[in-house]
Amino acid sequence: MRLPRKHEQTQACRPQDPGRQASSARPRRGGPRSLTAAALAAAFLTSGAAPALAQHAQPAPGAGAPARVHQAALPSSTVERAISAAESKKGTPYGWGGTGPDSFDCSGLVQWSFGQAGVSLPRIAHDQVREGTRVSYSDARRGDILYWADGGGYAYHVAIYLGGGRMIDAPKSGDQVRERDVNRYNLAGAVRL
């Protein structure tokens, strides 16, 4: 069972050091203890024990997990309210674990901005990218959440896509919320809510 992390304790939103969050936040893989819930449920079912466990088994991330929470794309008016909220915070300092309104980290800005438009999102960058439908950057639309991931697919940074190769985000310590060109280094794609 994986417990939720609190306020990006693992140094999210630090594209210059993407491996740091991923290595400290994920359980180690491999070895006899790395069975997923689905694999454990399958083992119980084939042994004839505890068939009720199969009802509670969750597929491993990326292996058939639900692709979206929302049933339809957000209306453009909601997207524009979220973007306006983010733009109203330009110049606000980056603050690790910041959820606003006086400081933000990357996922704090995304969560706060969409919250102002009535959309509830999880706190952590990696959890936010699980909330919608993943699309490639080439198919990204205004208001999609862009995300950057390490080699293992763990999302460590998010931003709101503005269109035309521009985004708004809270980049890193010592910086501030700002609009800038999309940084394509380690860009994994986009998520449409």
Side-chain angles (χ1 to χ4, degrees), residues 153-173:
Y154 191 86
Y156 61 84
H157 185 71
V158 288
I160 300 172
Y161 187 56
L162 301 174
R166 304 284 291 168
M167 65 183 192
I168 188 165
D169 70 338
K172 62 185 184 226
S173 293

Side-chain angles (χ1 to χ4, degrees), residues 99-123:
T99 57
D102 299 323
S103 70
F104 294 97
D105 65 11
C106 66
S107 58
L109 176 67
V110 170
Q111 181 189 45
W112 183 87
S113 300
F114 278 94
Q116 299 305 299
V119 179
S120 178
L121 289 175
R123 170 67 186 97

Side-chain angles (χ1 to χ4, degrees), residues 51-131:
L53 278 178
Q55 296 173 3
H56 301 291
Q58 296 291 324
R68 82 183 265 116
V69 171
H70 304 287
Q71 296 302 311
L74 293 175
S76 61
S77 59
T78 302
V79 168
E80 291 305 319
R81 281 195 308 272
I83 290 172
S84 292
E87 288 177 335
S88 75
K89 292 301 177 178
K90 284 181 185 175
T92 303
Y94 175 94
W96 181 60
T99 57
D102 299 323
S103 70
F104 294 97
D105 65 11
C106 66
S107 58
L109 176 67
V110 170
Q111 181 189 45
W112 183 87
S113 300
F114 278 94
Q116 299 305 299
V119 179
S120 178
L121 289 175
R123 170 67 186 97
I124 307 298
H126 187 70
D127 295 336
Q128 289 176 355
V129 302
R130 293 179 175 182
E131 289 297 304

